[in-house]
Amino acid sequence: MAQTRLAWPTLAIFALPALVSAITHGPIAGILPALYAQRFSIDLALVGTVLLTARIFDAVTDPLIGYLSDRTQSRFGRRKPWVVTGAGIVVFAIFFLFRPGDNAGAAYFLIFSLLIYLGWTVMEIPYASWALELSRSTKERARINASRTFFLFIGGLLFTLSPLLLPNENGTIALFMEGNDFFTNIMTSNTRMTFDVLSALAFAVIILVPVATALAVTLVPTGDVIMTKEKPRLTELWASLRDNPPFKAFLMAYLFIGVASGVSGVVSFMYIDSYLTIGDRYTQLFGPAIVVGPLVVPFWGWVINRFGKYRVTAAAFTIYTAILPLPWFIAPGPEAFAPMVAYYCAITAFSPLLMIAMPTMLGDIIDYDELRTGKNRAGQYYAFLALISKTTASVGGPIALFIIGFFGYQPGAENDAEAILGLRVVANLLPALGVIPALYILWRFPITDASQQDYAARLDARMTKSTVAER
């Protein structure tokens, strides 16, 4: 299995679900809470409670789905049936969540938030585990994760450009407006995110999700694992995690990163809209960064394979953390546009490395556990990581909303100096402070690239021995 190398067309097909996932994830963290709060006059504290409830529900379902997918046996493999089921739930939930009726409110927002998180869990945890099982080679895993990262950015670009693809009151699509070139249309059009934009996205998702899922499950191999007579048991997982030092270190890093990410994600749209007052140029702000993302994916793939993912990740994360608070020094108004474009480009230039390296590191940790226990629990490990990540994000997001609510900030209202100060502190300083402890862990991580090669060789030898014994 360590020698398996997927052709580029197969990698692209496997990554298609990541593309549509980026489109559906885009509005959830920061845009939908603000839009629901404005349209239906929902208090921010109540919105935070809804998000917290949805995240807790999501965290509870993660280990169960990972455990069940690890134990699934079918002629389509362990993961594919779950990916198809989750895709169906996502399509249904997005259709209603992005298109609320006039009577929708907090309860409506909660119900369909619970449903979309369930769909993502059922789809994405088995999908991530499937990626691991396509190869045990760390370089091949880096290729697989790089292809997924590339398509995530393409999906993010499509989401960012979506306001330009919606006809205006004159029936004109801004991206193709006559009299201007393509880039002029992008830079001069109003690109505020609205429910009209999200409604159009909902119809696109109905087509894109089933097509991408069908292609992936039909044309990509199921992957290989060492099949043992005794299946993984849910009761064993905690002991396995307790006795796995690399995973404990990895989880601690994710605890801090998750809280910081939850804080940043839920207030970013409010910050650029209410404080910087450039929310009407949403696409222009994020468009260049989304273009930068896929362009640097091959570079980071080369750096990881050339210098090793562990030290490179620690160094890049250090620079990334130093960049996070820089918007504090950018004054509001039209002149904030250019420096914020540069800021998002800088942040995004480092994001692909993190998105490639971190899942690959988790694959090394799962190999370490399989070598010790003789059981492949990729689904449970991914699920447990998702539980920690989503729980911390569920804490970070509501905490951010509670803090800015305490300072008196309210989207769409006239906010005084104290309310704006609270928003600035939460948006710029808290995320950076939250990530700093993760840096210490990454610089002292207990697995190296050399030790992972040893794990892979020993596991491949075990698989060869098991195959010979079966014959």
Side-chain angles (χ1 to χ4, degrees):
M1 186 164 66
Q3 303 304 317
T4 301
R5 182 177 175 86
L6 299 179
W8 282 111
T10 304
L11 280 177
I13 292 170
F14 178 74
L16 282 177
L19 183 150
V20 296
S21 178
I23 295 175
T24 61
H25 276 274
I28 300 298
I31 295 174
L32 272 179
L35 292 180
Y36 268 86
Q38 290 179 26
R39 171 175 286 191
F40 303 107
S41 301
I42 307 173
D43 184 75
L44 277 182
L46 183 55
V47 174
T49 302
V50 169
L51 293 178
L52 180 60
T53 303
R55 286 290 193 162
I56 291 174
F57 168 79
D58 187 38
V60 170
T61 60
D62 284 346
L64 180 62
I65 297 302
Y67 166 70
L68 292 175
S69 72
D70 281 344
R71 293 176 63 90
T72 297
Q73 290 184 346
S74 76
R75 64 191 184 95
F76 304 107
R78 298 198 293 176
R79 314 300 181 184
K80 291 182 179 182
W82 292 95
V83 173
V84 172
T85 302
I89 299 173
V90 166
V91 167
F92 180 81
I94 286 292
F95 185 77
F96 289 96
L97 191 61
F98 284 15
R99 303 174 64 254
D102 294 336
N103 297 323
Y108 182 97
F109 185 39
L110 172 61
I111 291 170
F112 287 103
S113 293
L114 293 176
L115 199 58
I116 186 61
Y117 282 124
L118 175 63
W120 283 336
T121 295
V122 174
M123 181 180 181
E124 293 176 2
I125 287 177
Y127 177 63
S129 304
W130 180 15
L132 171 66
E133 292 165 358
L134 290 173
S135 177
R136 205 184 303 279
S137 164
T138 188
K139 290 187 177 182
E140 184 63 12
R141 284 176 176 169
R143 287 181 71 237
I144 294 168
N145 286 316
S147 66
R148 291 173 59 200
T149 299
F150 180 85
F151 275 78
L152 280 170
F153 276 104
I154 296 300
L157 178 61
L158 292 175
F159 166 69
T160 304
L161 290 175
S162 56
L164 295 174
L165 301 175
L166 186 68
N168 58 25
E169 60 274 8
N170 300 320
T172 302
I173 297 177
L175 194 61
F176 306 108
M177 190 164 47
E178 295 182 2
N180 295 319
D181 59 50
F182 179 83
F183 291 103
T184 301
N185 288 338
I186 291 179
M187 297 306 295
T188 59
S189 299
N190 186 314
T191 56
R192 186 182 300 278
M193 284 291 174
T194 65
F195 274 118
D196 288 337
V197 175
L198 297 185
S199 178
L201 280 177
F203 286 102
V205 165
I206 292 174
I207 299 172
L208 292 175
V209 170
V211 170
T213 304
L215 288 172
V217 300
T218 303
L219 300 177
V220 179
T222 59
D224 291 320
V225 294
I226 302 173
M227 300 305 295
T228 58
K229 294 182 179 179
E230 186 179 358
K231 295 182 179 180
R233 295 197 299 269
L234 191 61
T235 54
E236 299 174 328
L237 181 61
W238 174 248
S240 176
L241 299 176
R242 181 193 61 205
D243 299 329
N244 190 332
F247 191 60
K248 288 192 287 187
F250 195 78
L251 280 183
M252 289 302 297
Y254 249 80
L255 282 171
F256 293 108
I257 294 170
V259 171
S261 176
V263 168
S264 179
V266 80
V267 299
S268 59
F269 179 71
M270 301 178 193
Y271 187 75
I272 64 174
D273 191 40
S274 293
Y275 174 65
L276 295 179
T277 66
I278 51 177
D280 59 337
R281 304 185 71 184
Y282 183 90
T283 294
Q284 294 93 327
L285 272 175
F286 291 96
I290 297 297
V291 172
V292 166
L295 291 179
V296 300
V297 167
F299 169 76
W300 287 122
W302 174 82
V303 170
I304 288 173
N305 287 330
R306 175 66 177 82
F307 299 103
K309 57 184 169 292
Y310 290 98
R311 293 299 183 187
V312 169
T313 301
F317 225 123
T318 302
I319 301 172
Y320 178 86
T321 305
I323 295 173
L324 282 176
L326 292 183
W328 176 274
F329 304 100
I330 298 175
E335 60 276 6
F337 176 77
M340 286 302 295
V341 169
Y343 169 78
Y344 286 123
C345 285
I347 288 292
T348 306
F350 287 94
S351 296
L353 169 63
L354 307 178
M355 296 165 68
I356 296 169
M358 299 300 270
T360 308
M361 291 166 63
L362 181 59
D364 298 349
I365 293 166
I366 294 169
D367 287 347
Y368 173 82
D369 174 70
E370 186 176 353
L371 192 62
R372 290 174 51 253
T373 65
K375 299 179 182 179
N376 183 285
R377 286 186 278 241
Q380 293 183 64
Y381 267 85
Y382 274 113
F384 196 86
L385 179 66
L387 184 153
I388 296 298
S389 178
K390 293 172 183 177
T391 300
T392 52
S394 71
V395 171
I399 284 177
L401 293 176
F402 293 150
I403 293 176
I404 63 176
F406 174 79
F407 277 89
Y409 175 83
Q410 185 66 29
E414 289 291 333
N415 293 288
D416 58 22
E418 183 179 0
I420 293 299
L421 176 62
L423 179 64
R424 293 182 67 200
V425 169
V426 170
N428 298 313
L429 302 185
L430 285 188
L433 292 175
V435 173
I436 288 174
L439 298 179
Y440 176 81
I441 297 170
L442 290 173
W443 279 108
R444 299 172 58 87
F445 204 76
I447 292 180
T448 65
D449 290 282
S451 61
Q452 189 282 330
Q453 293 176 9
D454 176 63
Y455 303 156
R458 292 163 66 183
L459 285 169
D460 283 334
R462 182 183 293 176
M463 174 173 283
T464 301
K465 183 178 179 180
S466 174
T467 302
V468 171
E470 289 178 0
R471 293 176 179 172

